[in-house]
Amino acid sequence: MYLAKIKKYAQLGIIVFLAVFVSNFLMSEVFINKSPVIRKDLKTHMTAWFNNNMSLSKLIALITGKTARENEIARKKIEEGYNNLQKVAFTQIAPGVKVRASENFSETSYDVQGVKWIKHKVVVDGIEHEYGWPEGKELPSQSMLENMFR
Amino acid sequence: MYLGPFYFDTKEIFLILAAIIVGLAMFFNWPLIWFNPKILLTLIILMLLTKGLLPAIHNEAFFILAIVTVFLTLYLPFFQIVLFYFISFALFRLLRVI
């Protein structure tokens, strides 16, 4: 009798566990198109819909077709940014930190991790140089930059 | 207990009671730690509907699923919770647990 109960509870547990994975798979592969951006936003969209701040058609559009296109555009942008970063010469000036020396540095460059790079200027030996640096990261010291551009 | 032509068993009455309490919490803005009363209320309504379709013999499976679903609302978006709930029911049926 106890064995039958244990078997039943084990069966229930396994099925519930399985259902979590199936729903997770559906969410990530079918509904959210694998995009971390949309994945993050989905809860916001669902909440907006739930609180009547968004129509059902808009929600469906966000979850299905339109988001797929938007995701594609976003992914392409990230890939483009990554390719541009690859083209530019990087010089390692500190462990784990890279300075880019490029005249074509865009004001709105993002790296593959989605970190914004901001354009800065430095004068070394009377010549002005531009370099990109991740937003929020402590700027390199003058001596590091002098070593870099000299 | 009979209400008009309908018969309610204890668990259904408790579910209705829970819906009333959560509804009151929403109405009077009582703070619920961890749980979102709107999500809870929607889940209770879903559970009442599905409970109505199940014979009383499957109460145990239903109870476990209900508890897991309520606690998953702490981690997962509501849409996924609803998916999980119906997938579990489908699996219960497919694997002949109910």
Side-chain angles (χ1 to χ4, degrees), chain B residues 60-71:
Chain B
E60 213 168 282
F62 180 82
F63 174 71
I64 288 176
L65 179 60
I67 292 283
V68 174
T69 310
V70 166
F71 278 96

Side-chain angles (χ1 to χ4, degrees), chain A residues 27-128:
Chain A
M27 287 294 280
S28 58
E29 300 298 319
V30 180
F31 294 102
I32 320 177
N33 293 314
K34 294 187 198 173
S35 162
V37 180
I38 304 301
R39 190 193 295 268
K40 196 177 70 189
D41 286 352
L42 186 74
K43 201 166 181 174
T44 322
H45 295 329
M46 294 303 300
T47 315
W49 169 63
F50 200 71
N51 294 335
N52 292 325
N53 294 331
M54 188 193 284
S55 69
L56 183 63
S57 57
K58 167 92 176 157
L59 178 77
I60 291 168
L62 276 168
I63 294 173
T64 54
K66 279 188 186 168
T67 49
R69 278 200 295 280
E70 282 166 10
N71 288 347
E72 203 46 49
I73 292 164
R75 197 171 299 139
K76 270 186 185 157
K77 271 187 184 169
I78 289 172
E79 274 170 15
E80 258 171 42
Y82 182 72
N83 290 339
N84 287 343
L85 283 175
Q86 292 295 303
K87 281 176 204 158
V88 182
F90 278 103
T91 311
Q92 189 90 21
I93 59 161
V97 186
K98 286 171 182 177
V99 166
R100 63 188 292 183
S102 165
E103 287 172 4
N104 303 321
F105 187 79
S106 156
E107 298 282 354
T108 53
S109 286
Y110 288 84
D111 67 12
V112 271
Q113 271 111 30
V115 177
K116 193 176 180 183
W117 285 59
I118 295 168
K119 188 152 75 174
H120 295 279
K121 284 176 183 170
V122 65
V123 179
V124 178
D125 299 334
I127 302 164
E128 194 180 68

Side-chain angles (χ1 to χ4, degrees), chain B residues 2 12 28 60 72 74 94:
Chain B
Y2 280 97
E12 281 155 351
F28 292 109
E60 213 168 282
L72 278 180
L74 299 178
L94 280 175

Side-chain angles (χ1 to χ4, degrees), chain B residues 8-9 47 57 61 67 69 71 78 85 89 91 98:
Chain B
F8 292 91
D9 73 12
M47 281 168 190
I57 186 176
I67 292 283
T69 310
F71 278 96
F78 182 60
Y85 191 71
F89 263 110
L91 286 176
I98 58 172

